[in-house]
Amino acid sequence: MTAIPLGTPRRLLEFTLDGEPVRAPEGSTLLDACRSAGKAVPTLCQGDTLTPKNACRLCVVEVEGARTLAPACSRGAEEGMRVRTDTERVRHSRRIVLELLASSVDLSTTPGVAGWIEEYGAEPGRFGPDAARVEEEPRIDNTLYVRDYGKCVLCYKCVDACGDQWQNTFAISVSGRGFDARIAVEHDAPLTDSACVYCGNCIEVCPTGALSFRSEFDMREAGTWDESAQTATTTVCAYCGVGCNLTLHVQDNEIVKVTSPHDNPVTHGNLCIKGRFGYQHVQNRD
């Protein structure tokens, strides 16, 4: 039997979180510590398989002695820190961020955001009807997935997943500046004319539904998409010998989309085109 190396033990850091003493392994972020302590901290741009980008600023917390609020997703825990997650300053910042995001893009398919807007008393409509919005028609130029940039919050997770953090295809990046900044492929071409290899790993990390399976998009348009009626079953991809784990989401006895467990040591949530989209043969009953 092969011994599994345990690695070097990490020193535990001691600090206070909302007045309570906590311990966290050295190298942990404040968001890690908050979640371990059962503290609910909202975040959109944080991805458990990606390097933090500090883009959405929803997860800010107050660190005693710091001039500005700190993004919990990237600020490392330190010995003796005094951190507060629910001060009036923190709540005000989160409220403003939610108002700005919800007034400029469509967050209707973003999990959890409706509850956050209610919790923090955000009023996106207070900017009035003249507030600038990202109004774009969904881009449907292939049979596998849809790009709906009217829902994009520029979290950059798709760029990182397509780039040097996972796929190394570099098919997508950010074009434009300021309010005109957009996620785009080279020369803003149709996806079919780009370097995209259709692995769908960008869909896996998208927090708002700006990128979605064509099947999900069509069902939402038809009003038949119902996550409460879906089952999720994790299995092993049968296409090759790598052993990637697939989670099949099934509604009305049909596979409607495929994800992959982020804690799987083989895939870390990533798949290829066959694992992500090659499931039609399973439900071909002819």
Side-chain angles (χ1 to χ4, degrees):
M1 184 166 141
T2 304
I4 300 175
L6 297 178
T8 305
R10 292 192 291 171
R11 182 171 67 94
L12 288 178
L13 303 173
E14 296 187 3
F15 58 99
T16 62
L17 187 61
D18 290 332
E20 299 291 331
V22 296
R23 290 184 174 183
E26 191 173 27
S28 299
T29 65
L30 292 180
L31 185 60
D32 295 332
C34 288
R35 288 175 171 172
S36 296
K39 303 284 184 181
V41 175
T43 181
L44 284 176
C45 73
Q46 188 267 344
D48 56 353
T49 62
L50 299 168
T51 301
K53 273 291 192 208
N54 311 324
C56 75
R57 295 288 165 164
L58 263 182
C59 69
V60 291
V61 295
E62 193 163 3
V63 178
E64 187 176 291
R67 181 178 60 85
T68 61
L69 297 176
C73 67
S74 61
R75 179 63 185 270
E78 297 175 14
E79 185 76 23
M81 286 179 111
R82 295 181 181 273
V83 182
R84 295 196 175 274
T85 66
D86 199 37
T87 64
E88 181 52 39
R89 187 184 180 194
V90 167
R91 295 183 65 84
H92 177 76
S93 178
R94 292 176 183 169
R95 179 167 64 248
I96 293 296
V97 169
L98 287 167
E99 288 176 343
L100 291 173
L101 287 176
S103 67
S104 59
V105 299
D106 176 11
L107 297 181
S108 61
T109 55
T110 305
V113 77
W116 297 337
I117 288 176
E118 181 179 358
E119 178 183 354
Y120 294 102
E123 299 178 13
R126 74 183 179 89
F127 298 110
D130 295 328
R133 286 188 63 83
V134 178
E135 301 286 3
E136 290 192 25
E137 290 297 317
R139 301 190 182 194
I140 309 173
D141 52 17
N142 66 91
T143 60
L144 300 182
Y145 73 94
V146 175
R147 299 176 291 162
D148 188 355
Y149 292 144
K151 297 178 178 178
C152 178
V153 294
L154 290 176
C155 67
Y156 305 107
K157 291 167 75 173
C158 60
V159 177
D160 288 341
C162 186
D164 58 4
Q165 292 195 35
W166 285 116
Q167 189 62 29
N168 286 286
T169 298
F170 301 97
I172 52 181
S173 62
V174 180
S175 66
R177 293 174 179 271
F179 197 79
D180 293 325
R182 297 288 187 275
I183 302 296
V185 301
E186 58 268 32
H187 308 298
D188 205 23
L191 204 63
T192 50
D193 295 334
S194 73
C196 178
V197 296
Y198 299 96
C199 63
N201 295 330
C202 55
I203 306 173
E204 183 75 37
V205 299
C206 179
T208 64
L211 302 171
S212 64
F213 276 73
R214 178 71 181 271
S215 54
E216 177 179 347
F217 179 84
D218 290 343
M219 291 175 70
R220 285 188 184 275
E221 288 289 291
T224 58
W225 181 262
D226 184 6
E227 290 187 4
S228 65
Q230 295 175 13
T231 60
T233 304
T234 299
T235 183
V236 178
C237 182
Y239 277 106
C240 72
V242 172
C244 300
N245 277 198
L246 311 178
T247 299
L248 309 178
H249 299 257
V250 177
Q251 180 178 329
D252 297 328
N253 206 31
E254 297 281 342
I255 299 172
V256 293
K257 71 174 183 179
V258 176
T259 59
S260 182
H262 289 196
D263 60 353
N264 181 264
V266 177
T267 61
H268 297 287
N270 298 288
L271 296 171
C272 72
I273 182 175
K274 292 183 288 186
R276 184 85 61 188
F277 296 108
Y279 56 81
Q280 290 77 8
H281 66 285
V282 176
Q283 46 209 33
N284 184 356
R285 300 179 177 89
D286 295 336

